[in-house]
Amino acid sequence: MHGLGRADPRRLLLLWGLVVAYFALNALTQFITSGTADLDQAEQLVLSQTLEWGYGAQPPLYTYLVRLAFSMFGLGLGPLLGIKVLLLSMTVGAMMTLAHRLGFSWHQQLLGVAGFVFIPQLIWESQRDLTHSVLATSLAAATLLQAARLADERSSSGYGALGLLIGLGLISKYNYAIFLAALLLAAGMVPAYRAWLADRRIAITALVALLVAAPHYSWLLFNPELATSGAHKFQAGAGDALSGLITAGMAALAFLTPLWIFSLLPLSVTSRSQLLAVARTGHGRFLLALLAAVALLVVVFVGFSQAQQVKDRWYQPLLFYLPWVIALFCGPTPGRRGRLYFAIAVFFALLVAILLPARTLLAEKLDRYSRPNLPYPALFDRLARSIDPPGYVLTESNLLAGNARLFFPHAEFRVPTYSVPMRTLAGAGILICSTPECEVKKFRDWLRHACGLDASTLTFAKLETPYLYAPSKTHAIYWARVNLASPCIMAAGIRGNLTGTVTRTDPKAGA
């Protein structure tokens, strides 16, 4: 495409190796700093107890990966962090491979990777605690790469690979479907891409995608309440279409800031004729068409649903490729401003690497505490040492359940948020809360309806210990032994009105 030609593959492999090492280092520093599972990590520790076609408001693929990782490497935070490193590295690797196919020079490859750093959702939130969005983004990047491959060279195996990626994408996160629709719409606008759409082997793609995604979407049909349990987050119908579109636009701007600001540096020296030349190429036209299709479909979705709450992370599987689009239009030799752009990205990347563990280490000095400061490892280790292993654990939140599961790996955990089909509970177990005597009404109601347990009759023991790296602040958990005389059924769609007997505990036990 450009006079300087494609970047040396060996240099690209080295660059990608540095990217992998960067993600791995950040995962390692967070692992060493705190043994507490963050919110999304704790959720996966809860959901991965069982293998289901669906788990609730999110598709099941990430949980499948977690369950596979636990079966191979054992239960712990290490496998969860390893999955994150793998997926983030795959996203960057897929885009670098696509850029190589598009004829990016070495300088353009550097700009593309640098632009990744300027999207906070990708460089910060994705390393901090996101799950499904990271997976969907990785699969969207792989799908985009495979679409470009088919535009250049078509084969039956290539169509099958595209179908596999689409099927996996559809069970990774639901907004992947918007990316897929935008991809197909954009392909129809560009002759080179339209040709592979018109090929009859596209039926292979459809068949493979259907086989992969059908079990989950069949489950979806029979469990609409569980599947749509997260729909309230969009606040659909709470306002008019215009206010929803303004919210969606502001979320997109938040997602792309500071990328669009810093990209003005290398783009400011790009001539109009150069921009037009790139836009006329098949791949350049396709990427621009993809951006336009994403914008159109977001407008249609928000307009029809009148969604009033669109968060910036929702755009992650839809706009992740924009840094490489910018690099494409910067030309093969971005010059001094391009080098400045890259240098600023390196600075921000190093800053993120420092701040990810520092936010936990310096919490007390900054008077800003995050979930990794919660002393769950110390609390649950003390509890595990003071009692016999329970058969089950009832908790009021995923955060408690996921962290407790690391210390009670053979117990079954139940929380009000997720009710997936598992075996019935009976016999000896424990109840754990982060509020005194489990005073949260919703949790008490759930205990009463699901197991016939009256939390007001329990006598709780209290465990308290200082926050990690903040000895002046303490955190407590409250627990009690329970013994269910009758089976407690907490499966999807099942509500029990079963009675249970309670074994009271000494308030000082285990303290």
Side-chain angles (χ1 to χ4, degrees):
M1 175 182 289
H2 298 300
L4 294 183
R6 290 180 173 88
D8 183 349
R10 290 173 297 181
R11 296 180 76 185
L12 291 180
L13 186 59
L14 175 61
L15 177 60
W16 185 68
L18 291 174
V19 170
V20 176
Y22 173 77
F23 290 136
L25 176 63
N26 290 340
L28 180 62
T29 58
Q30 292 182 88
F31 179 76
I32 293 173
T33 301
S34 172
T36 298
D38 213 323
L39 195 60
D40 287 352
Q41 294 171 334
E43 176 187 77
Q44 290 304 315
L45 282 162
V46 173
L47 295 184
S48 60
Q49 294 178 91
T50 183
L51 198 61
E52 302 296 333
W53 292 121
Y55 295 92
Q58 296 287 2
L61 183 57
Y62 201 98
T63 305
Y64 294 167
L65 293 178
V66 169
R67 189 174 171 88
L68 176 62
F70 286 163
S71 69
M72 295 173 63
F73 305 107
L75 187 71
L77 292 183
L80 290 172
L81 292 168
I83 291 173
K84 186 71 66 69
V85 172
L86 175 64
L87 294 176
L88 288 170
S89 301
M90 284 177 57
T91 299
V92 177
M95 292 309 301
M96 289 177 64
T97 305
L98 175 62
H100 184 65
R101 177 173 287 274
L102 270 57
F104 274 37
S105 68
W106 171 247
H107 295 289
Q108 286 175 300
Q109 288 278 11
L110 290 177
L111 293 185
V113 174
F116 189 94
V117 178
F118 292 132
I119 300 180
Q121 282 294 322
L122 294 175
I123 195 63
W124 177 266
E125 293 296 336
S126 291
Q127 295 191 85
R128 185 186 64 83
D129 194 35
L130 294 183
T131 50
H132 299 90
S133 293
V134 179
L135 175 59
T137 301
S138 178
L139 288 168
T143 305
L144 183 58
L145 172 60
Q146 187 59 25
R149 283 174 172 162
L150 284 175
D152 292 333
E153 48 193 51
R154 297 192 290 276
S155 66
S156 297
S157 61
Y159 280 100
L162 180 63
L164 176 62
L165 290 169
I166 290 174
L168 293 174
L170 290 172
I171 60 172
S172 64
K173 191 173 176 67
Y174 292 126
N175 60 342
Y176 172 91
I178 294 181
F179 169 79
L180 176 61
L183 179 74
L184 296 176
L185 183 59
M189 300 178 188
V190 181
Y193 285 78
R194 189 162 57 240
W196 67 256
L197 273 181
D199 193 305
R200 61 185 179 182
R201 285 174 291 186
I202 195 69
I204 299 175
T205 299
L207 178 60
V208 173
L210 180 64
L211 289 174
V212 173
H216 169 66
Y217 284 89
S218 297
W219 172 89
L220 205 63
L221 291 174
F222 292 100
N223 297 272
E225 291 184 1
L226 284 174
T228 59
S229 58
H232 66 280
K233 296 179 181 179
F234 288 104
Q235 297 182 13
D240 57 30
L242 179 59
S243 62
L245 290 173
I246 292 174
T247 299
M250 295 301 293
L253 183 62
F255 178 81
L256 296 174
T257 301
L259 174 64
W260 71 269
I261 297 174
F262 287 113
S263 65
L264 296 176
L265 277 171
L267 284 174
S268 64
V269 296
T270 304
S271 66
R272 182 173 179 273
S273 60
Q274 185 178 340
L275 289 173
L276 291 174
V278 174
R280 291 191 184 103
T281 64
H283 293 301
R285 288 177 60 189
F286 172 70
L287 289 173
L288 289 177
L290 182 58
L291 285 171
V294 166
L296 174 64
L297 291 174
V298 168
V299 168
V300 170
F301 171 79
V302 174
F304 275 95
S305 67
Q306 295 186 3
Q308 303 298 306
Q309 187 67 267
V310 178
K311 295 184 178 180
D312 49 354
R313 69 169 175 264
W314 195 67
Y315 287 97
Q316 186 164 321
L318 305 180
L319 297 175
F320 63 91
Y321 50 89
L322 193 55
W324 283 268
V325 176
I326 292 170
L328 176 65
F329 282 89
C330 285
T333 54
R336 186 178 63 180
R337 294 192 178 189
R339 291 192 293 272
L340 178 59
Y341 179 81
F342 181 74
I344 295 173
V346 171
F347 169 78
F348 274 108
L350 293 175
L351 185 62
V352 166
I354 293 170
L355 291 179
L356 280 170
R359 67 192 172 105
T360 305
L361 295 170
L362 302 178
E364 188 168 47
K365 290 183 178 180
L366 300 174
D367 196 27
R368 293 178 63 88
Y369 303 92
S370 58
R371 283 182 288 267
N373 287 112
L374 292 171
Y376 285 140
L379 288 170
F380 290 125
D381 181 62
R382 287 171 60 188
L383 181 58
R385 291 174 184 273
S386 65
I387 63 174
D388 293 329
Y392 59 88
V393 180
L394 311 177
T395 71
E396 63 183 358
S397 70
N398 283 329
L399 191 63
L400 274 175
N403 280 283
R405 191 184 174 209
L406 295 172
F407 293 86
F408 299 103
H410 302 296
E412 291 200 35
F413 284 78
R414 300 293 193 276
V415 293
T417 315
Y418 296 96
S419 294
V420 294
M422 290 190 266
R423 71 176 180 85
T424 57
L425 301 180
I430 59 174
L431 178 68
I432 304 176
C433 297
S434 57
T435 56
E437 300 185 355
C438 295
E439 61 188 5
V440 176
K441 183 179 184 300
K442 287 184 178 180
F443 183 58
R444 288 195 171 201
D445 289 345
W446 177 76
L447 288 173
R448 188 178 299 108
H449 295 151
C451 288
L453 288 177
D454 185 355
S456 65
T457 66
L458 301 176
T459 302
F460 288 87
K462 177 182 178 181
L463 287 174
E464 188 172 15
T465 196
Y467 269 50
L468 292 172
Y469 311 106
S472 64
K473 188 177 178 66
T474 61
H475 185 75
I477 60 172
Y478 305 83
W479 69 279
R481 288 189 178 92
V482 295
N483 195 314
L484 299 175
S486 301
C488 177
I489 303 174
M490 279 178 270
I494 300 176
R495 291 291 183 185
N497 290 304
L498 306 174
T499 59
T501 60
V502 176
T503 301
R504 294 182 179 272
T505 62
D506 181 351
K508 297 181 181 179

